Amino acid sequence: MIEEPFAPLPRDFYARPVEKVSIDLLGRYIVRYVDRQRLVLRIVETEAYLGVEDRASHAWAGRRTERTASLYQPPGHAYVYFIYGMHYCLNAVIGNGVGAAVLIRAGAPVEGHETLRLNRRCQTPPRPGDLAGGPGKLCQALAIDRQLDRHSLDTEPLLMTQGEPVGESEVARGPRIGVAYAGEAASWPLRFALRGHPEVSRPRL
DNA sequence: CGGAAGATCCACT
DNA sequence: GTGGATCTTCCGA
């Protein structure tokens, strides 16, 4: 049967190896309700963070602090954190007990273009990547902050849905962004994107 | 308790 | 391509 694009992804969607989930999330929708308006982005870029064994992960070496407690929730919950004094980043938790998660790095506008643009305070018309071409931009466009940390991603006001799934042949991969400090893990190819999509963040894959 | 760094973005050269 | 903004979080002392 054909799944409706706005049917929520079930919790067990996330209960798989983090790399698989990172790839499978490409093409899916992020659906966000704000003041009864529905905003929709199609996910075009993700990154996998493996947890305890991954020096780039907030759960590296088994770290478990007040902030990173969210990484140890059951599958399909949100981990939203504040970074660089001004940005938020959204993750989907895998729930495997070692702190694995998928960072949502970029999305393409599907619904609510005008509100997305206003949230981002950018000129009209926006250029590709302006609205949600980066993890901080994506959260700003969707008005996501720490209030949504620990939110279950199969219910309003923030959910991930079936969207428009893609085949693995459409997926490009490469090293993750902004983790140069992570030693060997910095070169692991755990960044994934829809091949050639204009809304993917820089540098392009 | 202090200092350093950060899963980023933007303006400027 | 480079540097500044801005402040929470974390770790070591």
Side-chain angles (χ1 to χ4, degrees):
Chain A
M1 82 178 251
I2 299 173
E3 301 278 5
E4 294 292 335
F6 290 94
L9 295 169
R11 299 256 201 119
D12 63 10
F13 174 92
Y14 305 89
R16 295 180 290 157
V18 60
E19 207 175 307
K20 280 253 188 282
V21 177
S22 301
I23 294 169
D24 204 353
L25 276 174
L26 293 173
R28 310 294 189 166
Y29 288 169
I30 308 176
V31 181
R32 167 80 166 120
Y33 292 88
V34 182
D35 297 332
R36 296 178 193 166
Q37 184 184 12
R38 185 169 74 177
L39 307 175
V40 181
L41 294 180
R42 184 172 185 236
I43 299 171
V44 300
E45 182 183 356
T46 61
E47 279 179 358
Y49 287 84
L50 308 188
V52 60
E53 64 187 297
D54 179 0
R55 194 166 169 185
S57 168
H58 291 167
W60 177 58
R63 280 157 118 177
R64 185 166 187 155
T65 64
E66 188 172 354
R67 175 180 66 151
T68 61
S70 304
L71 285 170
Y72 301 90
Q73 296 174 103
H77 285 71
Y79 169 47
V80 179
Y81 66 91
F82 185 64
I83 191 64
Y84 291 119
M86 58 187 85
H87 301 295
Y88 295 95
C89 291
L90 169 67
N91 294 253
V93 165
I94 294 299
N96 58 356
V98 297
V102 181
L103 172 67
I104 310 301
R105 278 197 62 89
V110 174
E111 275 187 30
H113 297 66
E114 180 67 6
T115 300
L116 296 170
R117 187 180 67 75
L118 291 172
N119 286 347
R120 284 278 303 135
R121 297 176 187 83
C122 65
Q123 296 292 329
T124 176
R127 300 192 1 209
D130 280 354
L131 292 181
K137 297 182 195 175
L138 184 146
C139 284
Q140 189 180 13
L142 293 177
I144 291 171
D145 62 19
R146 283 301 290 274
Q147 298 235 300
L148 286 166
D149 186 36
R150 306 183 70 82
H151 176 77
S152 179
L153 292 171
D154 59 359
T155 56
E156 297 185 18
L158 176 65
L159 51 166
M160 309 261 203
T161 74
Q162 296 289 333
E164 309 162 49
V166 299
E168 292 210 17
S169 62
E170 297 175 61
V171 176
R173 65 187 296 165
R176 294 171 294 183
I177 302 299
V179 297
Y181 60 88
E184 188 180 305
S187 61
W188 295 350
L190 296 177
R191 179 185 182 213
F192 308 94
L194 291 189
R195 190 182 303 281
H197 197 287
E199 304 278 352
V200 169
S201 68
R202 306 289 179 85
R204 300 280 292 280
L205 275 171

